[in-house]
Every structure is written in C-alpha cells, then in structure tokens.
Amino acid sequence: MPHAPEPITPYSTASGPKRGQVETMFNRIAPTYDRLNHTLSLGIDRRWRRKAIDSLKPFAPQVILDVATGTGDFAILAAKRLDPDRIIGVDISEGMMEVAREKVKQVGLDNVIYFMKDDCTALSFETGTFDAVTVAYGARNFEDLEAGLCEMCRVLKPGGHLMLVELTTPPRFPMKQLFWIYSHVIMASIGHLISHDDSAYTYLPRSMAAFPQAERLVPMLHHCGFSKVTFKRFTFGLSTMYLATK
C-alpha cells in the first residue's frame, strides 16, 4: 500500500499542524466560500455534486454522515435527492458550519440535517452507525488521509457505502496543461480578489497535486477496509468520484 503523501499546508510549516491551518483558513474564507466555489468552477461543481449524490440512490441510505461538510451545500442536496431520515455534517471549521446552519434553516431542513464540530481522523461516533458516509471536496484537506478513510470505514455499518468526490488534475493533453494555467494563475487571482486570502487559493492546486488521484487512491481505500472500489471521472478529469463498500 503506498505511503500517504506529506501534508500540504495552506500557510508556512512554521504555522503549526495542517489541521489547525485548515481550520484557520476556512474560518477566514467562510463568508465568501460559496461564491468563490461556483465562480472558480463556472458552476460545473453543481452538476458534479448531483451526479455524486445520485450514485447512492440505489442503496437508499437513511442515516448519512457528511464529512468536511463545509457550508452544507452537499448535505442539503443529499437531503433533497436521497430523502434520508437524518444527515449529520461534521467539520473542523465553526465559521463554515455557521453558514451551513443558516442555509439549512432557510430551506426548512433543520429537522433532518444537524452539524457538529468533529475531527475526521478521530470521529466521535460509535462503530457501525451510518448507512453512508460522504465527503465532497474535503478529503485533500485531511491532515492524515489514511486515518480519515479508516475512521469513515469504522463508523459505517457493514455493507454501508462511502462516496468521496474530489477535485483532480485532468490526465490528458491539452486539458492537463490548460488546467495548470487556470489553477496556478487565474484561480489564485480570482481567489485573492474575492476572499482576500492569498494562501487559500494557492494552497488549492498544491493540495490537489498532492492528493492520490484515481488509481492511486484505490489501494488506500482497500487497505482501510473497503471493497468494490470504483471511480469515475467528471468533465475531462477535473473531478473524480469514488464509491466503495464496507
């Protein structure tokens, strides 16, 4: 099983562990996060999220854990498309979840979706609690990816499903080269203009490059206790969805 990559941090290595830096970064950019996401992806991320959630429809999960829930967009969409009894969203950023709680109230789903601060590498839930675990565009921020994957497997019921979707680098010419220019030049400029945090959007392409993509993530998922691991690329490989069974 390949070793996990060295953690890429938003700020300098002298600023402390990755977990604390990621928490600080997301607390800073929480008010502008949604606008930035949709602007930087040209709105395509909404389609990726729908496709990812719909991959769980055949299993009809009723109790779902949404890891790295952020501002709650994925949890809200999952509640609408999967009609579960309960979704618990966890994150290390209270700033992001403050936005999420307000959004959930506005759409009348606060009796279905709940949020709590938790560390994905040491989840507070008992073994075998959830029918499905989802993580959308947050796995690259884990301080210890392997520990996070193993914890998500632990809290799943036997036969439960992990659905992970992450930003990835297109594997082929010319999209690979065009994306490098976009992510290193345009993305950083737009991110600075909207969020006023230079580090957040220079960190994004670096964290993507360090994340084990496609075939490289499969052995790690098997090692953490998953089987029937499949992946599917979206939009020339700009995003990749992984589906696995405990």
Side-chain angles (χ1 to χ4, degrees):
M1 205 275 300
H3 292 293
E6 288 297 314
I8 302 295
T9 58
Y11 307 108
S12 71
T13 52
S15 300
K18 180 173 180 175
R19 183 192 185 281
Q21 292 192 39
V22 167
E23 181 178 1
T24 297
M25 179 186 73
F26 281 115
N27 283 337
R28 284 179 179 174
I29 67 173
T32 58
Y33 179 79
D34 288 334
R35 184 155 60 102
L36 268 168
N37 256 8
H38 301 320
T39 300
L40 291 172
S41 72
L42 306 177
I44 301 171
D45 64 304
R46 292 185 175 96
R47 186 164 72 246
W48 297 339
R49 292 168 194 269
R50 287 195 300 270
K51 288 182 176 180
I53 287 167
D54 287 352
S55 71
L56 292 173
K57 279 187 174 180
F59 313 115
Q62 293 304 299
V63 185
I64 300 172
L65 177 68
D66 186 39
V67 175
T69 194
T71 60
D73 273 2
F74 202 75
I76 290 169
L77 193 60
K80 291 178 176 178
R81 297 182 77 84
L82 299 176
D83 193 28
D85 292 332
R86 185 168 75 256
I87 297 177
I88 299 175
V90 297
D91 206 289
I92 59 172
S93 169
E94 280 290 356
M96 297 286 274
M97 288 189 292
E98 284 176 14
V99 176
R101 290 184 185 103
E102 185 58 34
K103 286 160 66 173
V104 164
K105 285 181 184 177
Q106 289 176 2
V107 295
L109 287 169
D110 46 333
N111 62 332
V112 176
I113 304 173
Y114 307 89
F115 298 102
M116 59 178 283
K117 187 172 183 177
D118 209 358
D119 183 350
C120 67
T121 63
L123 292 166
S124 303
F125 306 99
E126 293 184 2
T127 298
T129 299
F130 298 96
D131 300 313
V133 175
T134 61
V135 52
Y137 308 108
R140 68 182 183 281
N141 299 316
F142 292 2
E143 184 165 38
D144 186 331
L145 177 59
E146 183 180 335
L149 294 174
C150 288
E151 272 295 273
M152 289 189 286
C153 186
R154 179 185 68 78
V155 300
L156 273 172
K157 296 176 182 177
H161 295 87
L162 169 70
M163 195 292 301
L164 186 155
V165 61
E166 188 54 83
L167 295 171
T168 46
T169 302
R172 295 186 178 88
F173 176 87
M175 286 300 298
K176 182 176 182 178
Q177 288 72 20
L178 290 171
F179 181 74
W180 190 96
I181 296 169
Y182 178 75
S183 62
H184 287 77
V185 180
I186 300 172
M187 187 180 288
S189 299
I190 295 173
H192 169 70
L193 286 172
I194 297 178
S195 74
H196 306 293
D197 188 319
D198 289 335
S199 298
Y201 290 90
T202 55
Y203 161 74
L204 176 56
R206 292 187 296 115
S207 66
M208 286 174 59
F211 188 80
Q213 301 182 8
E215 296 89 346
R216 291 176 54 215
L217 187 61
V218 172
M220 189 177 291
L221 288 163
H222 282 301
H223 177 77
C224 289
F226 292 101
S227 63
K228 301 177 184 176
V229 180
T230 60
F231 66 88
K232 182 177 182 179
R233 291 185 173 96
F234 299 146
T235 316
F236 307 107
L238 289 169
S239 180
T240 303
M241 180 193 73
Y242 308 82
L243 190 64
T245 305
K246 178 173 177 179

